[in-house]
Amino acid sequence: MNKLRNRELLHGGDYNPEQWLDRPDILEEDIRLMKKAGVNVVTLGVFSWSILEPKEGVYQFAWLEEIMDNLYQNGIHTILATPSGAKPVWLDEKYPEALRVDEWGRRRHHGVRHNHCITSPAFRKKIGEMDRLLAKRFKDHPGLLLWHISNELGGACYCPLCQKRFQEYLEQTYGTIEHLNKAWWTVFWSHQYQRFDQVEPPFANGEGSIMGLNLAWKRFTTWNMADYLRWEKDILKEITPGIPVTTNFMKLYPGLDYRVLAKELDVISWDSYPRYHNDYESLYDTCIENAFDHAVMRSMKKDRPFLLMESVPGAVNWHDYNKVKRPGMHKLAAIQAAALGSDSVQYFQWRKSRGSFEQYHGAVVDHLGREDTRIFQETAETGRVLAALKDVAGSVVKAKAAVVFDWDNRWAIQDMKGLSQKKKEYEKTCMNFYKLFLELGVETDVISREDSFSTYDVVAAPMLYLLGEDTARKLKEYVAGGGQLLCTYLTGYVDKDTLCYLGGFPGDGLKELFGLYSEEMDTFYPSDKNQVRFLDGSLGEVRDFAEILKLSGAEPVGVYIHDFYAGTAAVTRSQYEKGSAWYVGARLDEGTMKRLLRELCQEAGITIREIPGNGEYHVRENGEARFHFLLNYGEETIKFQDVRGMELLTGEVAEGELLVKPMEAAVVLEKKQLAKGEDR
Amino acid sequence: MNKLRNRELLHGGDYNPEQWLDRPDILEEDIRLMKKAGVNVVTLGVFSWSILEPKEGVYQFAWLEEIMDNLYQNGIHTILATPSGAKPVWLDEKYPEALRVDEWGRRRHHGVRHNHCITSPAFRKKIGEMDRLLAKRFKDHPGLLLWHISNELGGACYCPLCQKRFQEYLEQTYGTIEHLNKAWWTVFWSHQYQRFDQVEPPFANGEGSIMGLNLAWKRFTTWNMADYLRWEKDILKEITPGIPVTTNFMKLYPGLDYRVLAKELDVISWDSYPRYHNDYESLYDTCIENAFDHAVMRSMKKDRPFLLMESVPGAVNWHDYNKVKRPGMHKLAAIQAAALGSDSVQYFQWRKSRGSFEQYHGAVVDHLGREDTRIFQETAETGRVLAALKDVAGSVVKAKAAVVFDWDNRWAIQDMKGLSQKKKEYEKTCMNFYKLFLELGVETDVISREDSFSTYDVVAAPMLYLLGEDTARKLKEYVAGGGQLLCTYLTGYVDKDTLCYLGGFPGDGLKELFGLYSEEMDTFYPSDKNQVRFLDGSLGEVRDFAEILKLSGAEPVGVYIHDFYAGTAAVTRSQYEKGSAWYVGARLDEGTMKRLLRELCQEAGITIREIPGNGEYHVRENGEARFHFLLNYGEETIKFQDVRGMELLTGEVAEGELLVKPMEAAVVLEKKQLAKGEDR
Amino acid sequence: MNKLRNRELLHGGDYNPEQWLDRPDILEEDIRLMKKAGVNVVTLGVFSWSILEPKEGVYQFAWLEEIMDNLYQNGIHTILATPSGAKPVWLDEKYPEALRVDEWGRRRHHGVRHNHCITSPAFRKKIGEMDRLLAKRFKDHPGLLLWHISNELGGACYCPLCQKRFQEYLEQTYGTIEHLNKAWWTVFWSHQYQRFDQVEPPFANGEGSIMGLNLAWKRFTTWNMADYLRWEKDILKEITPGIPVTTNFMKLYPGLDYRVLAKELDVISWDSYPRYHNDYESLYDTCIENAFDHAVMRSMKKDRPFLLMESVPGAVNWHDYNKVKRPGMHKLAAIQAAALGSDSVQYFQWRKSRGSFEQYHGAVVDHLGREDTRIFQETAETGRVLAALKDVAGSVVKAKAAVVFDWDNRWAIQDMKGLSQKKKEYEKTCMNFYKLFLELGVETDVISREDSFSTYDVVAAPMLYLLGEDTARKLKEYVAGGGQLLCTYLTGYVDKDTLCYLGGFPGDGLKELFGLYSEEMDTFYPSDKNQVRFLDGSLGEVRDFAEILKLSGAEPVGVYIHDFYAGTAAVTRSQYEKGSAWYVGARLDEGTMKRLLRELCQEAGITIREIPGNGEYHVRENGEARFHFLLNYGEETIKFQDVRGMELLTGEVAEGELLVKPMEAAVVLEKKQLAKGEDR
């Protein structure tokens, strides 16, 4: 861990020299170009299994050692991957059980990636042997910085081995079949199980009507993946206890609860591929969605930086429209990553492969092979920027607000049979709350309902449909202790197994906290509309959903003004001991929500700092200093107010205002002893 | 049967006390609330198999008896379901043959519903044992009103057992393989069969090119389902000959010819779930489509009322947008059901289940559990309305007009390879004819081509593509006898096995009836248009289809005015003995069709009663009285003319005009001895 | 071959008397009607297997002989099909290996067509026996004109037999597994094979990530089909060496490289079914697309005419909207076929079948059976036109320009993972080039990159993404020798196995030819735009794709005027020895491309003849004469300039100008000794 912390910011990416072992000229050129580009780290060994072990039990590590040696001698460290991301053909041929089975029960053929049964003992044995040998060979290599376990873990397997493991998981979780039947309400449609070994995964042509089963299967998939991850990790840790481990996450990948996997990791890392310059949203919106993703990643380990393990110079090859990043975008995205808490900017990939699936995925070095390309030059410029921000390394982000965003709720809301399937938009709703906080200048974490709320002044938990065993208690304690809490329509409908609460939503005692219950949920057709009038006369627009509320203590803050529930409360506030619990019964427009959040923040004593349009603002800090990041995604210069300190990219000193040009960023160093306003 | 007839109108719904056996407080509350809501019937036992028989051969009926006793003591009768709608897990585990096989030949896993092979001897044996025991146990129960066999029967199975049964069906139907080959024109593409056991169902990756096979498979599916239904029925009838049986139909479910199943039933019942208040049509249109569905159901047994077995208080959970019914809609829909001939208004479901697939399907009692909710109150109000309409029970609707609407034609037109797949719209076309008759105040049945036409003054048989063995003869007899018949483009193309008639469409002798043949069918792109000019100079708009007709006796009523067939006949009339045969060669706009139908009705001597926009009008009658139903789906008060008698909901007496407010209805009792105008 | 050449133009179509063997009246009527319609050829035996061999080894040929005799006696020749287009049920029952296996590994059931494994020894044996007997029986029949092998060959099979054959093909092609691994870059994702027998087809749930494998599978499918075609042919040729063979192609069917199959054929024939009178393009555009298809077919054997084996009188039954051809369209399409080089106009089908899949596919004789129908009359009129054009038979088209259009490139571009999947439009781009040449009055072939370029003055090779082993060399030689070559964005990215060229695109030495390399490819969202300014100040519109070019010798002809690459070259020209190589880096609007092509043609010394809007112009010629075809798809009369000679349909003599009415055509005979302008 030591090596990784408190170094300079990392710059580099996935490097696949095994594709060029017969081209020493290219390998040599790679080193030359890496130095030109300011690369100080590469990731090796992802997908190298068939080179490392061309036949079962025949290992070839010398080429890898030579590459690592050479890199290290040139000042470049190595993140070393275990090669379980894709299997050699001999493995599938000898151990067909290692091939994944899909939701129709069909065993896949050899090929592509994400095609292994992680339960398979044969697969685990083979990758275990590999990992042990890799760790032994390189445990003392001075260039080894970090273990990168497998690659972009994902997917699920429905094979008999996984099915059995699922049943074991269920028995561990529920104890008795009666308990499971009760929790899943299997009495509906006569679906009661008699024994755990009767429970099958939710096959596409099998049982798909039990919400509890569907959710348990998702949780099992995560549980089993965490078990697998731990299993690879334990082998590595036994031999190299001092080398931290990571695996690279994929944005908000819906198939795995990353917060569970995160517990197995020393460092969070992820792969970021926004659709920049698209035709359906502003560049600002694209970048703020990316900020949200960064914040999700950062908030999994708030005490340390994360890594941006993959991003692309140029364009990827798998978007609908693979448009190249405009000049400056690359650098701006790199600074944004740093602003949100990353200690690295890394790429997939260093050099484009000549053939196969990703031959057109962007890279620092193109098939063209030249260093005078725009992409190479912008990458090198990014290298220089990261060098200038060296001191940022190791610093963290401290947030005053939090948005609750949950895999359990993603799964349960998605699978909920009701409302309108197309309009649920849980992820987007959470992201919008995050965005509004940022626009108010309030640094915000994105956390789980299982995290502690106590460190935050404001917590927004939109669409908190599913409550865990102590979620309601924690929310009450949080407000009782003085917190400002905001929840919305669709709060507290079901327990952790998706059983509906009886006696009124929000359930599990939250009716008391909010001083109301929801009698009906009105679902809108897209052309349906309603409005809310607030106490100050302002109006909010309602779309998609409107709960019809009955108050029992809450004070109405806004009321519906149309339809048969006109005049009833749409937005309420309830004083609960030292804090306040706000309830927003309808999906409201952004402007209205921003006014509400501003009010909450002010109640919570947070200083609002209105960020100009198209601008983004973050602070990282360590014991000695604060680093203020100011970014501009617009087409006009932004004037940021109240900025003081040295701008690290230009060396200029800001004494109040700072102008940031379009597609540019500034990073201002504020020494802590000089800090005046602690509320920032 | 006695108990069911001549009672008050039924009010109630599906009740699942087996979900709450550990909550006697809730069961007790249910009785209290049912009485408050004016419930006098519930449906029990749907999906109760795993409770009634938790292990094979171990039966638990006591709970059910206790519930039925308690209900009966509180004035509530029971419709008792056989539990074959969903199977317990032990059954699928022990008898995998009972699991359905899909069109790809894949056997499904245990789970969901509609997942049994109805051919399976094992399945039939198990449900037979269950039904026999149920019937014996409850045969003398005073609360038992009606048997409800299974639930929403549907789907098809492609397993080897069904395949063999299909071959037996074919042998029964066609006698020899040569006859089948001839009927299906298998000589095309060298598809002649040599033996019946070579004929496979039309698997998704099998034979899909023989229209005759496709149609035979649909008919077999119905035939086999009717056999299954009869099989359950016979067991019940043997033990409880006096208890009528039903099964609940699903709107115009395309998979089964309900008219064939209807023959096995004593009472027709169905489940109605319109998409009220949607954004793609007026509320009036939504409700008139529902009226059409009611009329289809009613017309299957014209001598008696049907039952509305399921409808929803509030909103369902499976529409695209699950929007709650607006205030009053519930009552208005209930009155509409009664107006169309239903003797009940029942709900799925009484109380929402806590979990699983339908936890958010609307119910009288919500998870909230309160009686002061809008939904509960509107349900109770509906109970009061039904009580006030008590005398309507047992009365019937007598129609002067009929629209022919046929499952065989639905299947054959859908599968027809020609025209434009997207624009065929057979169902919609039939429904539009029904709607136009209603707007002219003409009560209309929706019948099969196999029903008798002789009781009607006017018959419209749009798109009568497929003719049965005696359809043409019957149509000719009907017109010869003085009937007014209207047919359209796409009439009489194929025989009952989908072989095209030679010598001109409409075939089988209908050329003589209509005095014309169709030389070509022009299919329009959506932007293509044509017009028809009528004798009176009025114009009609043509879309989708235009037949180019050659007249041989028919008189032209309207001619095309554009394209290369301008000046040729589009609409014709042919005097045939005592009646007239009208032919509409093109798909015309609603206004034009209304003018044509008005003319036909006038020719037939039917008094036209123009119903004001957004209004609906029906009459039910019995030996003593007529009940005039007047409904308003609009936003303005409707003044209905020529209404005389006592309005049953208010007790007021109408003496000519009657005002009905928006979203309200009136039911006016006219004593038969007072009736003046018999033509109504 | 003799019989086929230098005859009159053929007129006729698929005839299925086996469907009417029990109706001698109909068979007799067929002969009478054929003579009325000017039919001189029919195709027999397509799909007759179950009649010819009703049980295995039991053959019935007498009926066929009788039909052929009778036809011949009435002046009608026969094209005799081998019946392998669809199998009898007994074959699939006895030899399940003959049933095709789909991309999911599922063996299909008996039924439909295109359902045989062409590798299957059992299938080949049975069809071989059939073909041998057919050939022996009819080898001396005077009516036998041509063999028609199978029908519309297509599809692929993934069965174990095909898989093994694929591995043999790969071994033949690549020699060693190391060579294959290198060519496919399998080192990516650890996908190196150890042995050929490990390589599976790209199953839907198998290996889909290796572009080289995907392409090899496509090539193998063609290779295996050619082998099958040769296998049927060799049997026929052994017995009837003097009878030419064909098989009917389906437009630009993407599944098979027709140019490879063409090598097995004596005559090219194809099936043409344009969507005339649709709502998404002008009739002119529909017809020019059809012209392109004709040109593709013709260019496969430039020294002889091809046959239009199928077209439809009226409408097909499988388009989205099956709209009947407007009056005159039929004749116009027939003349277009002749204009493009066809020596026949044939139909599917002579008479509509009564049942099964194609019962509504258009035919000369309808179910109605009358000869006074519009369709029959227009067909008879077409027969008279073809008779008047008798002398055209055997003449050919000589083109000055060529468009390169390639199956390998279709496959490789389609499978390329990059750009935007929806906007690649390779086929449309090639077709647009062809259209522009026609509008400039330049007769154009559509050829393969493997054909010779030397006979053309101008060659356009748009989107020539994949280069064969000597493509680059040939292009250089062509230009060096004085040719005008135009290539575009996406040229020369990959070699024949889809490995990217290193060192810059266009690769394999084409950088030198064009004097530039492409640094980046910008992919546009649909709303993105750019423009190009040319030297003369004219502007072109850019959409979809724009390459950013670096010039090393080329002279810029147009430059981008927006975005970060404004001012850089978009269109260039490079003098290379005696010729010029033009590079169009962006997708430009039609008007701009037309200006560029006009310039190229002028440079090449081709006389431009601007064809009026909605007009089409072609020339066929033989030793003695030229036949000028002038067609008008518009709604106004077209005045064609510079036309001299006798118009064959009217007998009038043109002496300069010729007026052609809407939906009409003229064919002007120019005797060669009278010809003045050789540049035409």
Side-chain angles (χ1 to χ4, degrees), chain A residues 424-454:
Chain A
K424 289 176 180 171
E425 300 179 353
Y426 173 63
E427 290 83 350
K428 188 176 163 188
T429 302
C430 292
M431 202 189 69
N432 275 344
F433 273 89
Y434 175 80
K435 173 185 168 184
L436 295 175
F437 277 125
L438 285 201
E439 291 178 357
L440 295 167
V442 179
E443 198 68 70
T444 301
D445 283 344
V446 184
I447 62 170
S448 159
R449 66 173 201 281
E450 295 182 350
D451 286 326
S452 167
F453 305 148
S454 62

Side-chain angles (χ1 to χ4, degrees), chain B residues 390-495:
Chain B
K390 186 175 186 306
D391 293 342
V392 169
S395 65
V396 297
V397 172
K398 296 193 176 169
K400 295 200 181 305
V403 171
V404 178
F405 168 78
D406 229 271
W407 262 259
D408 275 342
N409 269 296
R410 295 178 78 185
W411 293 333
I413 291 171
Q414 179 63 23
D415 195 36
M416 178 198 187
K417 300 294 178 281
L419 306 180
S420 71
Q421 201 60 37
K422 284 182 190 166
K423 290 292 183 178
K424 290 177 178 169
E425 300 180 352
Y426 173 63
E427 291 83 351
K428 188 175 164 189
T429 302
C430 294
M431 203 189 70
N432 276 344
F433 274 89
Y434 175 80
K435 172 185 170 184
L436 295 175
F437 277 124
L438 285 200
E439 290 178 359
L440 295 167
V442 179
E443 197 67 69
T444 300
D445 283 344
V446 184
I447 62 171
S448 159
R449 68 173 200 282
E450 295 182 350
D451 286 325
S452 168
F453 306 148
S454 63
T455 60
Y456 301 104
D457 299 324
V458 177
V459 170
M463 299 174 72
L464 192 66
Y465 170 69
L466 175 148
L467 304 177
E469 276 174 0
D470 61 354
T471 310
R473 183 185 53 72
K474 279 178 54 190
L475 289 173
K476 283 163 133 178
E477 284 176 9
Y478 169 69
V479 180
Q484 295 286 325
L485 172 68
L486 184 146
C487 286
T488 72
Y489 55 92
L490 210 68
T491 293
Y493 279 37
V494 298
D495 72 8

